[in-house]
Amino acid sequence: MPPARTLGGLSQPVLITKKKSLSVLNPTLDKIFQNLKGAIADRYTQAKCPTADKNALDFWPVAFRTQVVAGTNYYIKLKVVHQGMAPVPGATEYIHVVIFDQPWTKTTQLTNFQTDKTLADKLG
């Protein structure tokens, strides 16, 4: 069940786990996120590593919040996963993105993108 919504205010953070995936917690957001993964990969490579193969990147949602405005703002904390690269201890990377969705106008866009985040950083 999605978190309660307060007009203009942010919902409480919802943690995403293996047992409670984004597709279970918020199927609408999961579909939006899957559609915008390419745009997120583009922004990430532009900001962090322009020569990287964006197809070798994956983004795992770990938490989200919602904000009802003239549509919905989705604040998402993503873990950056570099496929095919040996993990480096302490090199876990997180980013925060904000996606605006207004279904009645068919508007969905990535409106904010922040790199160099940690798991402990407040979302939104």
Side-chain angles (χ1 to χ4, degrees):
M1 172 183 250
R5 295 180 178 195
T6 304
L7 187 59
L10 283 170
S11 70
Q12 292 297 315
V14 177
L15 297 179
I16 300 164
T17 65
K18 289 181 182 179
K19 290 184 180 180
K20 290 191 176 184
S21 68
L22 185 57
S23 62
V24 170
L25 293 168
N26 191 319
T28 300
L29 177 54
D30 184 56
K31 182 178 177 184
I32 292 167
F33 171 67
Q34 296 303 327
N35 288 336
L36 287 179
K37 266 182 143 177
I40 292 168
D42 287 343
R43 289 284 295 271
Y44 179 82
T45 54
Q46 289 171 6
K48 296 290 284 183
C49 46
T51 59
D53 177 8
K54 68 180 179 184
N55 295 320
L57 295 170
D58 200 4
F59 302 93
W60 295 351
V62 295
F64 72 92
R65 298 178 81 176
T66 60
Q67 179 185 37
V68 178
V69 289
T72 304
N73 282 322
Y74 294 101
Y75 294 76
I76 312 169
K77 181 184 296 271
L78 300 169
K79 181 177 182 179
V80 180
V81 179
H82 298 266
Q83 302 292 339
M85 298 178 147
V88 178
T92 302
E93 197 174 359
Y94 293 90
I95 60 173
H96 290 180
V97 299
V98 180
I99 297 170
F100 174 73
D101 183 49
Q102 193 176 59
W104 61 92
T105 63
K106 297 184 173 134
T107 301
T108 302
Q109 58 191 23
L110 181 62
T111 58
N112 196 327
F113 183 92
Q114 300 173 355
T115 59
D116 302 319
K117 295 295 182 178
T118 67
L119 184 58
D121 285 338
K122 184 177 176 183
L123 183 57

